[in-house]
């Protein structure tokens, strides 16, 4: 007699695991569709749960879920540039970009949703979430440079480069992740050194940094 097939035991998720599941599901949906086109029913169906369960975790509805999903991605992304301030700058920056591009690679949908969030949803909170990632990255870079009081030209140069990194990452996703991540990383590091060099021609503070970089071992 053939024994009956066994059904895998259902594992009840913890509160944190369920919340993480809902956030990941929502972020993926928001990455591919405008937030106004995503309903809580869509999130519940994609996560395999009921609509009331989604409301239990996010009583504020879709806006609260959207902001929480963006905030979750933002927190992880902000850590990418948190590299120990030891050794030469260029290798440190390369390691930070390795983590950044790994995040982009593993969370491509979430990355797209994060960067698009400030423009497709007109609320001060979502705009602040996106801008917070950029400002945190800029502070990390300036700290790597050993600068505590950056002038306007240096600060603008760093923030412009971060914007370029974001744009390159989105294009990289559109281009089926070509060139390879390590090539993109090296290219972005070279661009950073290049834009610093250009700014150095107009700003003594940046010129001193570039001179230090030239002897940085």
């Amino acid at each position: 007699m053939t024994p009956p097939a066994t059904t895998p035991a259902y594992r009840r998720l913890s509160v944190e695991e369920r919340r993480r599941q809902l956030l990941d599901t929502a972020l993926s949906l928001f990455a591919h569709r405008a937030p106004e086109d995503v309903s809580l029913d869509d999130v519940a169906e994609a996560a395999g749960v009921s609509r009331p369960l989604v409301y239990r975790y996010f009583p504020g509805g879709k806006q609260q879920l959207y902001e929480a999903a963006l905030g979750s991605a933002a927190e992880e992304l902000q850590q990418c540039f948190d590299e120990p301030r030891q050794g030469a700058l260029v290798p440190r920056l390369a390691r930070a970009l390795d983590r950044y591009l790994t995040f982009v690679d593993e969370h491509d949908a979430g990355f797209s949703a994060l960067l698009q969030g400030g423009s497709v949803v007109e609320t001060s909170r979502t705009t602040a979430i996106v801008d917070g990632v950029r400002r945190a990255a800029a502070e990390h870079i300036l700290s790597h440079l050993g600068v505590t009081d950056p002038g306007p030209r240096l600060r603008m140069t760093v923030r412009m480069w971060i914007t370029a990194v974001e744009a390159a990452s989105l294009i990289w996703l559109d281009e089926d992740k070509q060139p390879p991540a390590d090539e993109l990383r090296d290219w972005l590091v070279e661009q950073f050194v290049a834009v610093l060099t250009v700014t150095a021609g107009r700003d003594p503070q940046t010129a001193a940094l570039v001179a230090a970089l030239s002897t940085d071992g």
Side-chain angles (χ1 to χ4, degrees):
M1 182 174 180
T2 304
T6 58
T7 302
Y10 174 77
R11 187 174 73 88
R12 189 180 185 88
L13 298 181
S14 68
V15 170
E16 185 54 38
E17 288 173 332
R18 180 65 73 189
R19 187 175 188 277
R20 167 53 55 189
Q21 179 206 23
L22 294 175
L23 289 176
D24 289 345
T25 300
L27 200 55
S28 179
L29 291 174
F30 289 135
H32 294 96
R33 285 186 270 166
E36 58 267 24
D37 295 333
V38 177
S39 68
L40 286 184
D41 287 331
D42 294 329
V43 175
E45 180 180 359
V49 300
S50 66
R51 179 187 174 98
L53 181 64
V54 179
Y55 263 115
R56 184 191 307 172
Y57 282 83
F58 301 97
K62 185 173 71 174
Q63 186 63 30
Q64 182 186 6
L65 177 58
Y66 179 72
E67 291 173 7
L70 287 186
S72 175
E75 287 177 10
E76 187 172 349
L77 194 55
Q78 285 177 8
Q79 301 306 312
C80 292
F81 287 97
D82 191 12
E83 173 73 18
R85 276 56 170 174
Q86 299 173 350
L89 173 66
V90 168
R92 275 187 275 151
L93 190 57
R95 288 192 294 271
L97 281 174
D98 276 336
R99 287 194 295 273
Y100 187 94
L101 293 174
T102 295
F103 179 93
V104 174
D105 184 27
E106 295 177 352
H107 305 80
D108 50 1
F111 181 78
S112 298
L114 175 64
L115 292 191
Q116 293 168 0
S119 59
V120 298
V121 177
E122 296 298 329
T123 74
S124 60
R125 289 187 297 274
T126 53
T127 300
I129 289 170
V130 177
D131 191 53
V133 174
R134 296 168 180 150
R135 290 183 180 275
E139 290 304 315
H140 279 305
I141 296 300
L142 289 168
S143 178
H144 284 303
L145 291 170
V147 177
T148 57
D149 187 23
R153 288 183 176 86
L154 176 58
R155 187 167 55 246
M156 183 178 293
T157 297
V158 170
R159 295 186 67 179
M160 285 171 58
W161 179 74
I162 290 168
T163 301
V165 170
E166 292 177 357
S169 299
L170 289 172
I171 295 169
W172 185 63
L173 293 177
D174 285 342
E175 294 291 335
D176 297 322
K177 300 178 181 177
Q178 292 297 321
D182 58 343
E183 293 184 19
L184 178 58
R185 173 205 64 209
D186 291 343
W187 187 21
L188 290 171
V189 171
E190 291 165 2
Q191 287 183 349
F192 183 63
V193 175
V195 295
L196 281 180
T197 301
V198 171
T199 303
R202 294 176 176 270
D203 179 47
Q205 182 183 42
T206 307
L209 288 174
V210 171
L213 278 177
S214 66
T215 59
D216 193 353

